[in-house]
Amino acid sequence: MLNTIAVVPNYTEMLTAPAVIFQFLYVFTFLLHIIFVNLTLGGIFSILLCKYIYKTYNDSVYNSIAHDLSFINTYNISLTVTTAIAPLLFIQILYDKFFYSSSIIIAYYWLSIIFAIIIAYYFNYIYKYKLFYLKFRIAGGTIFMVIVFILFLYTTFMLVSNTLLSVNPEIWKEQYKNINFLNIPTIIPRYLHFLIGSIALNGIFICIYSKARKSLNENIKTKMFILGKNMFIYATLLQFIVGFWFLFSHKKMIWLNIVQGYGLILIILTVLFSLYIIYLFIKNGSLLLITIFGILTLILMVILRRLTEVYYLEPYLKNLKFVSHYQFSALAMFLILFIIMLVLFAYLFKCIHKNRI
Amino acid sequence: MSFIPYYSDLVHPAVLISSIAIFHTFIAHFSIGMGLYVIICEYFAYKKNNMVLLEYTKKNSSLILFIATVLGALTGVGIWFVISIIAPFATSTLIHNFVWFWASEWVFFVIEIVTILLYYYLWGKIEKKLHLIIGIIYFISGYCSLILINGIISFQLTPGKWLETKNVWDGFFNPSFLPSTIARTGFCLILASIFSTLIISFLKNSDIKKYTGRISTIFIVVGALFCIVGTYLWVQSIPENVRSQLSGGNTTLTHFFHYYIITGVILIALSIILELIFYKYFNIVFSIILLCVGMTAFSYFEFTRERVRKPFLVRDYVYANGIPLDKIDEINTTGILEYTNVILKRKELTDVQKGELIYTSECYSCHSINGFNNLRSKLEGLKAEDIFYVIDGIGYNPLMPPFVGIESEKKYLAEFLQDRLSNK
């Protein structure tokens, strides 16, 4: 054990505000980010699914749905990137010693996600605006979205790997010599858990979108809604299996910690909420309730993720050294700007709504 | 105990960071300058009721959307990834000290992205005045992020009073903050002008080519003024002994600085001639030439700025190889091998392997054996004993940190270098 603890750097770091503030901001901004990650990844999945249904059953409505969804997907990518910055910043305040170390170990893979995202982004634009030869082919270009999907699968896999590697310093030594992603504990169930979650969350989003877009015709709307509903229900049923597989793939010490502590409550609530959403869908219940419970489930999962992270890092945390050097004036600057931003957006969207021509 | 050393046979870290950083800053400056450019054009288009000009403005705004929000944003994240890998300790210092400035920069970044999306997709869909206001907000938030980031970058070169007070505002409003902000404002205007020629070259109507050529010329001229004043003040703001390196003291550095000025002057002269006089013949070839010259001038400025900071990452606080100045005494008594994060058990290593590890943690950030700033050209043919004395003296070179560690480690390093340099 001593030998492995030694690989976590041990210099003293400066804390410019009480640690709880950073912990809160980290979890809060991560939640914002993961929503858009899910919408992007699930979005591409649903586009491909529609393309598949269109090709097999020759139902052109699904082609229109695919196109419509690709239109909003570039916004989702933009927001995914924008919201990524904040949690990335705050995790560095708390855990840079872990996070940088794991980034160094998988350096090239980690850097390559930048290129993957750039290419995926442009390919999504090409598909959306039907650029180049796609102009002449109304239903063409699926290959672009297939590539986008592969690139984002790759990106998210690297993100999951880096996160997991960062909380497992005891495997740094072997991974530094020779990277083998499949040897990172819990990687497969965790990644699957995340993918399936994306599909479920995107299902709810598609339902909301089908109701919110006024310009769509009724036929498209109905089919879109059913698509979203089925995505949620099937993904969630599958998630019950994968979720528990993931839970028990942790080291015994960790999963015991989870089920003997708050984790148990979080898990029970998650299962109950998900079942309730499925019930609402089947009974054609309120979409507002579905959305609220969908987001609540996501919040529970983000908290559970955080809890697990702490369990993993616990043996190392006591060796971290911080010295407080609070900068309340700079913190105030950030908070004020943040509030200005929220007010500005609210005001702008109101104005845009009023001034449409 | 520090971080695991990063080592790569493929690309040298210095090459990696400079290429991504130059590319990113080139786009970032353009996207801010272009923000101003489009709102000015939009304003005149409405005032003169000129639909062609409006169409031109819209095309320019698409450049921001498709270049800045994709390439610009992601290469920005890329810089962050790269520095945290190749210089984790220094990055950690910058992040911890300036966290609220980074966080505020993030707020502006979010505003920027949201407003440019709205601006582009709402062309012709909302009232003119509101559309223009959205453009103005985009520009202001972009400019504010420039100010914030520039405060942190200029801090690295001239941390000023922060070194004693550790007060973040002292670090932010450091001696070279204002001069470099002025110079960078100039870059924004110049880059907006040369990027706009990408669109100008596809315009058919020669009246509008003339008109837009004039707007772009004004941007170049005003930008040049900012650059000249900013660069002059910037040179004055850096410490005396560093300035002398720039004006002859160090050959490479002096060359970089001169090339920056020469290519900058060529760029400005060329743009004025092409945009103002030969506007009728303006085509994509001219535009690409301008972009290339611009990129070259810009690279030389960034090279100068990087090299002028040598041997530090944060002047008088942490060296370019990641060794903090306040740890030197400790390392000189316990050894660099003790400080470096080595995962392989140290006892298992041969002397040459130990030397390699020392090389990786002390020299590799600025040198390679055969490629970038290579040691082969400097030390080839020397015996280990001679290399030992060279290592002893490297601290006298103003661009290099001194060797830190114990005597035996100097020997390991010399042995490693002799070993590596004697076989190709």
Side-chain angles (χ1 to χ4, degrees):
Chain A
M1 200 65 182
L2 239 177
N3 192 16
T4 57
I5 286 190
V7 300
V8 181
N10 64 355
Y11 60 91
T12 309
E13 288 179 308
M14 178 164 86
L15 265 194
T16 54
V20 284
I21 295 190
F22 291 112
Q23 284 161 3
F24 170 76
L25 286 170
Y26 164 49
V27 176
F28 174 70
T29 55
F30 178 78
L31 175 70
L32 286 183
H33 174 58
I34 202 70
I35 292 179
F36 291 109
V37 171
N38 283 338
L39 294 190
T40 304
L41 196 68
I44 301 161
F45 173 82
S46 58
I47 291 168
L48 292 178
L49 186 65
C50 288
K51 281 284 178 185
Y52 176 77
I53 301 176
Y54 161 66
K55 293 243 160 85
T56 10
Y57 300 98
N58 212 358
D59 184 346
S60 68
V61 169
Y62 284 94
N63 194 39
S64 319
I65 298 181
H67 186 71
D68 222 72
L69 293 177
S70 82
F71 199 80
I72 42 173
N73 214 47
T74 57
Y75 299 106
N76 284 336
I77 303 177
S78 295
L79 292 170
T80 306
V81 173
T82 355
T83 50
I85 310 294
L88 193 64
L89 174 65
F90 296 119
I91 195 176
Q92 293 181 69
I93 298 296
L94 298 166
Y95 302 134
D96 53 353
K97 288 170 180 166
F98 304 92
F99 191 67
Y100 291 173
S101 300
S102 56
S103 304
I104 293 170
I105 293 171
I106 61 163
Y108 278 124
Y109 297 94
W110 184 234
L111 296 180
S112 67
I113 68 174
I114 298 287
F115 298 97
I117 301 171
I118 290 176
I119 297 168
Y121 215 146
Y122 280 130
F123 276 21
N124 203 145
Y125 269 132
I126 292 176
Y127 182 80
K128 170 174 172 175
Y129 289 118
K130 302 276 180 240
L131 299 176
F132 312 124
Y133 76 98
L134 294 184
K135 267 191 283 216
F136 313 109
R137 303 187 40 195
I138 299 153
T142 312
I143 182 69
F144 282 97
M145 291 315 278
V146 172
I147 298 173
V148 173
F149 192 49
I150 295 171
L151 288 171
F152 279 136
L153 285 178
Y154 173 77
T155 306
T156 45
F157 183 77
M158 285 306 147
L159 273 157
V160 171
S161 306
N162 200 1
T163 319
L164 277 177
L165 194 56
S166 74
V167 297
N168 281 297
E170 61 275 10
I171 61 167
W172 289 355
K173 181 173 163 178
E174 73 181 62
Q175 293 283 350
Y176 187 55
K177 276 192 258 171
N178 206 341
I179 303 171
N180 184 348
F181 290 102
L182 298 179
N183 278 352
I184 302 176
T186 73
I187 182 121
I188 302 284
R190 176 156 182 169
Y191 186 55
L192 285 178
H193 185 62
F194 156 74
L195 290 184
I196 296 167
S198 294
I199 295 170
L201 196 83
N202 194 254
I204 300 186
F205 176 72
I206 291 178
C207 293
I208 300 172
Y209 186 69
S210 74
K211 299 273 176 198
R213 264 297 280 270
K214 301 209 174 59
S215 57
L216 300 175
N217 76 34
E218 272 316 309
N219 194 10
I220 294 188
K221 281 186 165 195
T222 328
K223 288 197 171 160
M224 208 187 233
F225 189 89
I226 295 172
L227 174 81
K229 167 178 155 180
N230 284 334
M231 273 171 61
F232 181 86
I233 295 177
Y234 289 113
T236 305
L237 291 178
L238 193 60
Q239 193 71 298
F240 286 140
I241 304 168
V242 174
F244 283 99
W245 174 23
F246 176 35
L247 175 64
F248 294 110
S249 69
H250 292 300
K251 279 178 290 202
K252 190 165 179 210
M253 192 190 80
I254 303 274
W255 70 252
L256 271 180
N257 264 333
I258 295 175
V259 296
Q260 287 172 349
Y262 294 115
L264 187 65
I265 304 172
L266 295 172
I267 294 171
I268 292 175
L269 283 179
T270 307
V271 172
L272 289 179
F273 287 0
S274 316
L275 288 173
Y276 182 56
I277 299 175
I278 294 179
Y279 168 82
L280 283 172
F281 265 128
I282 293 170
K283 288 271 158 193
N284 272 329
S286 133
L287 192 54
L288 183 67
L289 271 183
I290 290 178
T291 314
I292 291 173
F293 277 93
I295 291 179
L296 282 178
T297 316
L298 194 68
I299 293 177
L300 292 176
M301 282 292 108
V302 168
I303 297 174
L304 184 59
R305 175 188 180 278
R306 167 79 192 142
L307 208 61
T308 318
E309 187 171 62
V310 175
Y311 290 144
Y312 267 94
L313 290 178
E314 214 148 46
Y316 307 97
L317 290 183
K318 52 182 180 294
N319 292 333
L320 297 188
K321 284 176 286 195
F322 288 105
V323 18
S324 311
H325 193 97
Y326 293 161
Q327 304 171 353
F328 285 120
S329 55
L331 169 60
M333 167 178 77
F334 163 66
L335 290 177
I336 292 169
L337 286 171
F338 190 78
I339 292 167
I340 290 178
M341 173 183 83
L342 295 181
V343 174
L344 181 76
F345 284 163
Y347 180 72
L348 267 185
F349 282 100
K350 210 182 101 202
C351 288
I352 290 169
H353 198 69
K354 274 208 315 230
N355 286 297
R356 266 188 183 275
I357 42 178
Chain B
M1 176 77 70
S2 186
F3 285 91
I4 315 166
Y6 162 78
Y7 183 85
S8 152
D9 286 324
L10 229 68
V11 221
H12 191 272
V15 176
L16 189 65
I17 185 64
S18 52
S19 36
I20 190 164
I22 288 172
F23 187 72
H24 170 76
T25 39
F26 194 65
I27 292 174
H29 286 92
F30 137 74
S31 66
I32 297 166
M34 190 54 98
L36 185 64
Y37 191 93
V38 291
I39 54 185
I40 289 178
C41 287
E42 187 181 6
Y43 174 77
F44 281 112
Y46 292 150
K47 204 172 151 197
K48 305 202 152 140
N49 208 2
N50 184 340
M51 284 338 245
V52 189
L53 182 58
L54 199 65
E55 196 47 39
Y56 167 76
T57 313
K58 188 174 169 185
K59 290 216 176 97
N60 272 302
S61 71
S62 76
L63 285 183
I64 309 182
L65 183 73
F66 295 119
I67 299 179
T69 63
V70 184
L71 282 177
L74 282 152
T75 48
V77 183
I79 292 185
W80 217 355
F81 281 12
V82 172
I83 59 173
S84 61
I85 287 173
I86 66 177
F89 175 77
T91 309
S92 168
T93 310
L94 289 179
I95 293 283
H96 278 84
N97 191 36
F98 286 106
V99 58
W100 302 118
F101 291 76
W102 292 114
S104 305
E105 201 276 326
W106 172 67
V107 172
F108 287 117
F109 177 59
V110 178
I111 301 179
E112 244 175 285
I113 297 289
V114 171
T115 49
I116 192 62
L117 288 173
L118 291 174
Y119 187 76
Y120 184 74
Y121 289 103
L122 292 175
W123 271 107
K125 296 197 180 118
I126 52 170
E127 278 185 4
K128 293 170 180 173
K129 198 173 142 203
L130 181 61
H131 191 260
L132 194 55
I133 290 176
I134 295 178
I136 294 173
I137 298 174
Y138 166 76
F139 166 66
I140 293 176
S141 54
Y143 194 67
C144 289
S145 34
L146 179 139
I147 292 178
L148 285 171
I149 297 206
N150 186 47
I152 301 171
I153 294 177
S154 55
F155 160 84
Q156 288 181 268
L157 178 61
T158 53
K161 284 204 292 265
W162 178 87
L163 289 170
E164 290 115 52
T165 61
K166 292 284 187 295
N167 180 328
V168 70
W169 297 99
D170 285 338
F172 187 78
F173 292 110
N174 62 75
S176 65
F177 166 73
L178 194 62
S180 47
T181 308
I182 296 174
R184 286 183 187 280
T185 308
F187 296 156
C188 293
L189 301 178
I190 292 176
L191 287 180
S193 170
I194 60 179
F195 267 88
S196 72
T197 62
L198 277 176
I199 308 285
I200 294 183
S201 47
F202 289 106
L203 293 176
K204 301 260 161 6
N205 172 329
S206 105
D207 277 347
I208 187 78
K209 269 196 158 166
K210 182 173 179 184
Y211 189 77
T212 50
R214 281 193 183 161
I215 301 181
S216 297
T217 312
I218 296 173
F219 264 71
I220 276 276
V221 173
V222 179
L225 287 178
F226 271 98
C227 267
I228 293 167
V229 175
T231 307
Y232 175 78
L233 292 176
W234 179 76
V235 173
Q236 302 306 311
S237 72
I238 54 186
E240 178 69 51
N241 58 338
V242 183
R243 202 179 320 141
S244 63
Q245 296 294 316
L246 201 69
S247 47
N250 181 276
T251 333
T252 323
L253 183 56
T254 314
H255 280 160
F256 281 165
F257 189 57
H258 286 171
Y259 294 154
Y260 155 60
I261 296 187
I262 294 167
T263 43
V265 171
I266 294 177
L267 174 72
I268 291 161
L270 203 61
S271 320
I272 295 179
I273 294 171
L274 292 177
E275 290 171 2
L276 207 59
I277 303 170
F278 292 106
Y279 61 88
K280 270 191 201 137
Y281 313 103
F282 211 103
N283 62 34
I284 189 74
V285 180
F286 287 170
S287 184
I288 289 175
I289 292 175
L290 286 184
L291 282 170
C292 291
V293 180
M295 184 79 161
T296 317
F298 194 70
S299 308
Y300 277 123
F301 170 76
E302 299 284 346
F303 283 155
T304 311
R305 188 185 55 73
E306 280 288 317
R307 206 177 169 107
V308 114
R309 208 180 55 214
K310 292 260 154 77
F312 300 101
L313 271 175
V314 175
R315 176 159 289 280
D316 294 332
Y317 187 73
V318 50
Y319 281 125
N321 52 16
I323 297 177
L325 270 71
D326 64 2
K327 281 276 185 290
I328 288 186
D329 287 342
E330 182 193 315
I331 299 173
N332 277 337
T333 43
T334 54
I336 184 74
L337 285 174
E338 221 21 71
Y339 179 73
T340 309
N341 201 327
V342 207
I343 301 180
L344 308 159
K345 281 203 203 80
R346 289 188 200 104
K347 285 195 210 95
E348 293 165 2
L349 300 179
T350 66
D351 286 1
V352 170
Q353 282 172 327
K354 285 182 188 161
E356 178 164 18
L357 211 54
I358 299 166
Y359 160 77
T360 320
S361 32
E362 286 207 37
C363 318
Y364 178 60
S365 59
C366 304
H367 289 290
S368 67
I369 299 293
N370 297 314
F372 174 84
N373 196 7
N374 62 69
L375 289 176
R376 183 172 295 284
S377 63
K378 299 175 168 69
L379 298 171
E380 186 159 34
L382 295 185
K383 289 211 192 65
E385 298 82 64
D386 302 327
I387 299 180
F388 182 91
Y389 289 109
V390 176
I391 295 171
D392 222 14
I394 59 169
Y396 293 111
N397 187 322
L399 296 186
M400 266 198 283
F403 178 88
V404 286
I406 45 185
E407 287 301 297
S408 59
E409 289 173 334
K410 237 180 259 175
K411 205 177 103 256
Y412 301 146
L413 176 59
E415 275 168 21
F416 161 74
L417 287 173
Q418 189 210 1
D419 179 76
R420 190 53 64 87
L421 293 174
S422 61
N423 41 43
K424 295 258 166 183

